[in-house]
Structure formats: C-alpha cells, structure tokens
C-alpha cells in the first residue's frame, strides 16, 4: 500500500471513530427529560451505538439527534406553525 492509500485509510478510520464516539458522547450527555420529550429511549440508543458502532452513529445523527433538538426547543411558535402550514400548502 502506498503512502496515499495509508493516509486515506487512516482518515477513514478516524472519521468512523469520530462518528461513533461523538454520537456516544452526545447521547450520554443529553438529559433524560429531553429523551422523554422526544419519545426516545436513552438507554436503548446508547446500547445500539455501543453494539453497532458506525452504523448506529449515522442513525443517531440522522434520526435521533434531530428529534432531541426539536424536543429541546419546545413547542413551535405561532410563526413557525404558519411557516409549516405554508410549506404544506405548497406541497413540500
């Protein structure tokens, strides 16, 4: 393997590890109340990340984290509701 291939392998390995560790840290540090508000299982998600690593990390960032962030911000404001209704009216 040449030097470029080795550097690419190291970069890919670092990205996979960062995804896994980052998802695990965020999941552990998120308060239980936020998990309840998002109707997600904190313990189940942490076990999933530990068992399935990179793939569970992607699932966490794409599906779980947005739900947790939405739960953190609370109910939508009137302006947000109007914007959502406008988007639905346009078919988006």
């Amino acid at each position: 393997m040449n030097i470029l291939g080795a550097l690419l392998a190291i970069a890919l390995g670092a990205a996979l590890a960062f995804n896994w560790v980052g998802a695990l840290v965020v999941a552990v540090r998120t308060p239980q109340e936020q998990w309840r508000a998002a109707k997600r299982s904190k313990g189940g998600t942490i076990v999933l990340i530990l068992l399935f690593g990179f793939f569970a990390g992607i699932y966490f960032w794409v599906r779980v984290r947005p739900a947790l962030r939405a739960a953190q911000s609370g109910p939508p404001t009137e302006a947000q509701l109007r914007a959502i209704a406008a988007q639905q009216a346009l078919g988006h």
Side-chain angles (χ1 to χ4, degrees), residues 27-80:
V28 168
R29 294 189 63 182
T30 302
Q32 184 64 40
E33 297 78 31
Q34 198 171 339
W35 286 92
R36 267 189 237 118
K39 296 183 175 137
R40 301 284 182 158
S41 168
K42 181 176 185 173
T45 301
I46 290 170
V47 168
L48 186 75
I49 293 169
L50 288 170
L51 291 176
F52 296 102
F54 169 73
F55 298 107
I58 290 175
Y59 176 78
F60 175 81
W61 293 116
V62 172
R63 301 289 296 180
V64 178
R65 182 67 176 150
L68 292 172
R69 289 181 61 91
Q72 177 185 19
S73 64
T77 64
E78 205 170 309
Q80 290 170 327

Side-chain angles (χ1 to χ4, degrees), residues 8-28:
L8 188 59
I10 291 170
L12 181 61
L16 296 175
F18 179 76
N19 172 54
W20 179 72
V21 172
L24 186 60
V25 168
V26 171
V28 168

